[in-house]
Amino acid sequence: MKNIIFDVDRTLVDSYHPELTTLQEALYLVTGKHYENDVMDKLTVLTTDEFFRFLGIDDDAMLKQINYHWGRLLQNSPVTMFTDIPELLTFLSEEHCFLAIATSRTWEELEEIDDLMKILSIFDCVITSDKVDKPKPNPESILTILKQNHLQPSETIYVGDSESDMLAAKSAGVFFAYASWDNNDDSITYDYILNTPEDLKKLLTKS
């Protein structure tokens, strides 16, 4: 494996609890409705715009209020990288791996993760959802990375945590490594399972 493409949420960054709980609170403040956790979980596989459409919220003024409260609440619950991720990325870079990101976040949403932005230069390519016509589970983001950088699918692995990631990887013809350290879902099929970030180092060393 020469090329590693990463998802962001619940793969590189521990976003599940801070983002979902603060958005849940922001939604309640603006709409007066309490959305259960199984509904909020949809945010892990949808873009933010898709999630709001899923909830049936399309009023611009209401969306502006929700995003205002969400941003305010997130200031006290910042999204941070998983502990072992910076060391893993440094190792992969030193091994001269091609590193990329394919995420359902927009570029603006990616910039909100201070931890990640500090080391974003370590990645050779970053494709956010606003850079493609069809975000995941469509394979366009992964295929764009392959095409732009002349990469071989047979030498490429996509590391993600969700069914959406799995479907995008399989459709793009690359290997899928399931990052299960923050989302253990038995319904996901994979080429490799990673219980910890360290397992990716072991996989690449072995291969």
Side-chain angles (χ1 to χ4, degrees):
M1 298 296 172
K2 297 180 181 179
N3 319 309
I4 303 102
I5 306 173
F6 289 93
D7 174 41
V8 170
D9 293 285
R10 305 187 79 177
T11 300
L12 295 177
V13 302
D14 184 8
S15 57
Y16 180 76
H17 179 75
E19 288 213 330
L20 269 65
T21 54
T22 52
L23 178 55
Q24 193 175 39
E25 185 174 349
L27 285 165
Y28 180 75
L29 289 172
V30 177
T31 69
K33 296 180 181 178
H34 175 75
Y35 293 95
E36 298 295 336
N37 290 341
D38 60 336
V39 174
M40 300 303 301
D41 282 348
K42 294 290 185 182
L43 186 62
T44 62
V45 297
L46 299 174
T47 66
T48 307
D49 288 342
E50 288 172 339
F51 179 69
F52 286 135
R53 286 197 296 269
F54 169 75
L55 296 182
I57 300 173
D58 56 9
D59 180 78
D60 288 342
M62 182 175 288
L63 288 170
K64 186 175 182 179
Q65 281 188 305
I66 292 169
N67 282 311
Y68 165 75
H69 287 294
W70 191 14
R72 178 178 58 81
L73 292 165
L74 267 175
Q75 289 180 355
N76 297 319
S77 301
V79 173
T80 58
M81 299 185 75
F82 287 108
T83 304
D84 297 334
I85 290 298
E87 190 274 335
L88 169 65
L89 295 175
T90 299
F91 168 82
L92 296 175
S93 179
E94 291 174 348
E95 290 295 309
H96 305 292
C97 293
F98 178 91
L99 300 178
I101 284 175
T103 176
S104 295
R105 284 178 178 261
T106 63
W107 179 258
E108 184 178 0
E109 290 167 342
L110 196 69
E111 287 183 311
E112 294 171 356
I113 309 174
D114 290 339
D115 267 12
L116 184 56
M117 294 306 293
K118 289 174 184 176
I119 63 166
L120 199 68
S121 61
I122 204 169
F123 293 95
D124 300 285
C125 184
V126 177
I127 299 294
T128 51
S129 63
D130 50 339
K131 292 185 179 181
V132 296
D133 293 324
K134 299 177 181 178
K136 298 180 297 181
N138 189 284
E140 183 182 352
S141 54
I142 297 175
L143 292 173
T144 298
I145 293 171
L146 297 178
K147 183 177 181 180
Q148 286 183 353
N149 299 281
H150 310 289
L151 308 180
Q152 294 298 319
S154 60
E155 299 175 340
T156 304
I157 188 166
Y158 184 63
V159 183
D161 71 288
S162 69
E163 182 182 18
S164 176
D165 297 326
M166 173 194 74
L167 293 172
K170 291 184 181 297
S171 296
V174 303
F175 293 100
F176 177 60
Y178 175 34
S180 67
W181 46 81
D182 194 50
N183 183 26
N184 197 345
D185 185 344
D186 293 336
S187 69
I188 293 177
T189 58
Y190 47 80
D191 298 297
Y192 308 101
I193 186 166
L194 310 174
N195 295 309
T196 69
E198 181 74 15
D199 288 341
L200 182 56
K201 289 172 60 175
K202 294 176 182 176
L203 174 62
L204 294 175
T205 302
K206 186 183 298 183
S207 64

